[in-house]
Amino acid sequence: SQQGEEDPQALSIQEGENATMNCSYKTSINNLQWYRQNSGRGLVHLILIRSNEREKHSGRLRVTLDTSKKSSSLLITASRAADTASYFCATGYNTDKLIFGTGTRLQVFP
Amino acid sequence: DSGVTQTPKHLITATGQRVTLRCSPRSGDLSVYWYQQSLDQGLQFLIQYYNGEERAKGNILERFSAQQFPDLHSELNLSSLELGDSALYFCASRDPRVAGELFFGEGSRLTVL
């Protein structure tokens, strides 16, 4: 069964707007990661947040983690058409058996 | 380019057949992971190898098997193929000295007719 579930399943926005995706998971984790997948391509790692961290930034990405609620969010600010992709959260303890969520499909219109 | 190489990129075969998917991890990465991505199932973890040994097992069918060789490349064998096995199969590798990040290949797209 999936460890993480993203919400929403699909999101459409205009360029320049912010995109927020949420991830919920079920069991205790050591870290949570976000990946991006362009259509039919391999996944690319975006950011990792450890269980003792609450927020992390990388460029236009901001990730939060709330271990009490077993949830995380990914914010992409000032989105661009090139951000169009599927975004997945992944959880694991020591990353063995890293489990991916169902993904959010983001469409950014120029 | 992630440094992880998967072959073949595309494969079309018939039900009941057997195929082998190959993965070469990034230079120096000891861990290899296999994932299956189909439209209705998302990304499913199949199996992980570390330096030739099976480390973790996920939702891998008995018809599927994998191994990691001494040169660290890995093969995923799929037998008695069914229509439902049509999917993208991804290999990923990881440097055990760096927490977390997986590097994915571009996948092998299997179509079973």
Side-chain angles (χ1 to χ4, degrees), chain B residues 89-111:
Chain B
Y89 291 85
F90 286 106
C91 169
S93 73
R94 183 172 81 88
D95 179 350
R97 298 167 297 178
V98 179
E101 179 178 357
L102 295 184
F103 293 86
F104 280 81
E106 290 298 309
S108 292
R109 182 175 293 280
L110 173 66
T111 302

Side-chain angles (χ1 to χ4, degrees), chain B residues 46-112:
Chain B
L46 295 178
I47 199 163
Q48 181 215 350
Y49 280 83
Y50 177 82
N51 202 20
E53 299 291 327
E54 182 183 305
R55 175 64 68 92
K57 212 165 187 176
N59 300 323
I60 187 166
L61 300 172
E62 286 191 8
R63 300 183 286 108
F64 296 0
S65 65
Q67 55 183 323
Q68 186 179 27
F69 295 86
D71 67 352
L72 301 178
H73 91 272
S74 178
E75 291 181 358
L76 179 66
N77 300 296
L78 316 175
S79 61
S80 302
L81 286 167
E82 302 175 358
L83 296 177
D85 297 328
S86 295
L88 261 173
Y89 291 85
F90 286 106
C91 169
S93 73
R94 183 172 81 88
D95 179 350
R97 298 167 297 178
V98 179
E101 179 178 357
L102 295 184
F103 293 86
F104 280 81
E106 290 298 309
S108 292
R109 182 175 293 280
L110 173 66
T111 302
V112 182

Side-chain angles (χ1 to χ4, degrees), chain A residues 1-2 33 35 37 40-43 45 48 50 88 94-101, chain B residues 33 35 37 41 43-45 48 55 57 59 88 90 94 99-102 104-106:
Chain A
S1 63
Q2 296 293 122
Q33 305 174 41
Y35 287 78
Q37 182 184 32
R41 304 292 300 277
L43 281 75
H45 182 265
L48 179 152
R50 299 183 192 282
F88 294 85
N94 293 330
T95 73
D96 284 358
K97 203 173 180 178
L98 192 64
I99 303 298
F100 285 78
Chain B
Y33 299 73
Y35 287 87
Q37 186 178 37
Q41 292 292 323
L43 204 68
Q44 297 285 335
F45 170 76
Q48 181 215 350
R55 175 64 68 92
K57 212 165 187 176
N59 300 323
L88 261 173
F90 286 106
R94 183 172 81 88
E101 179 178 357
L102 295 184
F104 280 81
E106 290 298 309

